[in-house]
Amino acid sequence: MRTSSSSCSNGNDTKKFKGDVRSSGVPSRVVHVRKLPNDINEAEVIGLGLPFGKVTNLLMLKGKNQAFLELNSEECAQTMVNYYSSVTPYIRNHPIYMQYSTHKELKTDNSPNQRAQAALQAVNALHGGGMGGMAIPTDPASIAGAAAQSPVLRVIVENLFYPVTLEVLHQIFSKFGTVLKIITFTKNNQFQALIQHVDSMTAQHAKLSLDGQNIYNACCTLRISFSKLTSLNVKYNNDKSRDYTRPDLPTADSQPSLDPQTMAAAFAAPGIISASPYGGAHAFPPAFAIQQTAGLSMPGIPTALASLGVSHGGMAAAAAAATRLGFTGLTPTAGHNVLLVSNLNPQSVTPHCLFILFGVYGDVMRVKILFNKKENALVQMSDGTQAQLAMSHLNGQRLHGREMRVTFSKHTTVQLPREGHEDQGLTKDYSNSPLHRFKKPGSKNYSNIFPPSATLHLSNIPPAVVEDDLKRLFASSGATVKAFKFFQKDHKMALIQMGSVEEAIDCLIKFHNHDLGENHHLRVSFSKSTI
């Protein structure tokens, strides 16, 4: 097939393709990929080439179900074509075919090729412009060192904004070889897991590639180390532990046992490419480099990811991002998103006060203080995960002299008053509020969610505002200011320590979004630090 003037029937994907024609069948660093599914995306095509070297250019011809992938060398392209000629790759049950292109390089116009370029930038940013940073060791000393390690990995998930399930971990770690057993648990208020691979080499590959990566954009960060254990003893197959070699184990609770279809899916976990080079520890040709194709978001480059549609403005967005990257299993569990807040102080509580406080842990859509029981309120969060987060952090905290009780409500939504029915301003709709902290994709707020504390983090402070101004402002609420410190490198941010957690909660409600002049509105959140 000649591709010197290939174009797509979709006007958005039309591109000029220029290259030097080569005789058919001659190795080239440009690989021609055919029979792609209609809903293919750039990340998935790049994923085909990542295990073999750096992908330097991409041309998508979606209308023709084809793509051209340029690698950084002919050797990488040869390894790729040779590998896939013996093991046919599948994307969503579609067999994919590839051959050398008749062109030795891709020259694409950037403007109509923005999505492909954004995908490439995201991958290159992750690896600092190079793909060889995680090459699999082939020298005897390195291999011996890896073999001496345990096949069991200890995984800590930090910034747990969305729930991470056993199935999610299995799907991610299976990319690097067979996972035999998983045990999940909570220790020191952190979600942790022990994951046993088939051997220590596979475990090392998984650790090298996944340590420090995020499961979802800007949150759920994996911290991975080798466990001292060399084998796991799993007694039950349920949502907390699983032995994939023993499907006959009991569940030990009231949950139904796994059906055969679910168990088969757990064993297979095909991910992006069913016939992946990550099929096992010994499936890698020696020159391969491990690359991140597990559908994980790439930290530090939210803009590039957002251009791929990988946003994080709620559970639906996270699920969509995971699905686009081939991970249908990465869907945060949904739950009730309406909370019942009781034992409030009816003399001082307002919808705005609950909006600001609960908004620290998610985007508050609506608030209703009950007309006949003003010590009770309903708070509707954007999704069930945010509701769970707010409940776990705020239940039992003191607000206006009373200890709040926060539970899930039986209601699925907060009803607004019917037109013409006045409810004294007790019901407010905040769905279009500009004060939501989590609507912006890749927001830093996702990685700065902490329990209420006496120390508050202040940001967006204008240059003219000094320490005494802020201490006077916070003392004006009647609270005690114990300490204050500007950030050394950035005077737009500071820490302020109040006399108690209750005082800090009250000050956060009063002064978040406070106008400090010069078009600067103060941002206030709880801090994990102390002064």
Side-chain angles (χ1 to χ4, degrees), residues 114-129:
Q114 285 178 340
R115 283 177 61 87
Q117 295 305 312
L120 285 168
Q121 286 170 14
V123 172
N124 288 333
L126 173 66
H127 293 279

Side-chain angles (χ1 to χ4, degrees), residues 5-195:
S5 59
S6 297
S7 64
C8 173
S9 56
N10 180 342
N12 292 332
D13 288 313
T14 302
K15 307 168 184 71
K16 294 177 182 176
F17 177 60
K18 312 157 194 169
D20 300 324
V21 179
R22 298 167 66 87
S23 59
S24 179
V26 176
S28 162
R29 65 191 184 101
V30 179
V31 177
H32 180 197
V33 186
R34 299 180 293 114
K35 299 288 181 76
L36 293 167
N38 291 328
D39 57 347
I40 191 75
N41 64 52
E42 288 79 2
E44 290 172 304
V45 177
I46 293 171
L48 287 165
L50 281 181
F52 306 93
K54 182 178 178 181
V55 177
T56 51
N57 209 344
L58 172 66
L59 175 64
M60 299 285 288
L61 302 178
K62 289 186 179 179
K64 295 187 176 183
N65 302 95
Q66 298 178 14
F68 291 88
L69 203 64
E70 179 186 278
L71 283 89
N72 60 331
S73 73
E74 273 190 17
E75 282 133 8
C76 292
Q78 277 184 283
T79 309
M80 177 179 173
V81 172
N82 290 342
Y83 180 84
Y84 287 132
S85 65
S86 60
V87 185
T88 303
Y90 282 77
I91 296 181
R92 286 190 290 287
N93 298 320
H94 281 259
I96 311 300
Y97 301 97
M98 55 192 76
Q99 64 194 46
Y100 298 118
S101 169
T102 54
H103 302 271
K104 67 178 182 181
E105 63 178 335
L106 282 180
K107 294 180 181 176
T108 54
D109 294 337
N110 283 344
S111 51
N113 197 32
Q114 285 178 340
R115 283 177 61 87
Q117 295 305 312
L120 285 168
Q121 286 170 14
V123 172
N124 288 333
L126 173 66
H127 293 279
M131 290 298 193
M134 292 180 181
I136 294 180
T138 55
D139 60 284
S142 297
I143 292 173
Q149 298 284 5
S150 167
V152 179
L153 295 174
R154 178 174 176 241
V155 180
I156 298 174
V157 184
E158 296 179 348
N159 301 323
L160 191 70
F161 189 77
Y162 286 122
V164 174
T165 64
L166 183 146
E167 284 76 16
V168 166
L169 291 172
H170 181 263
Q171 204 164 3
I172 292 169
F173 282 81
S174 291
K175 287 289 174 184
F176 303 92
T178 304
V179 171
L180 300 181
K181 303 170 188 178
I182 301 179
I183 298 174
T184 64
F185 56 96
T186 301
K187 184 178 179 182
N188 300 329
N189 291 323
Q190 289 181 312
F191 177 78
Q192 301 190 28
L194 292 170
I195 300 174

Side-chain angles (χ1 to χ4, degrees), residues 430-453:
Y430 295 102
S431 54
N432 294 316
S433 171
L435 296 185
H436 287 155
R437 296 177 187 246
F438 303 102
K439 276 193 172 176
K440 185 179 178 183
S443 167
K444 288 182 180 178
N445 292 326
Y446 286 107
S447 52
N448 290 306
I449 297 171
F450 304 111
S453 61

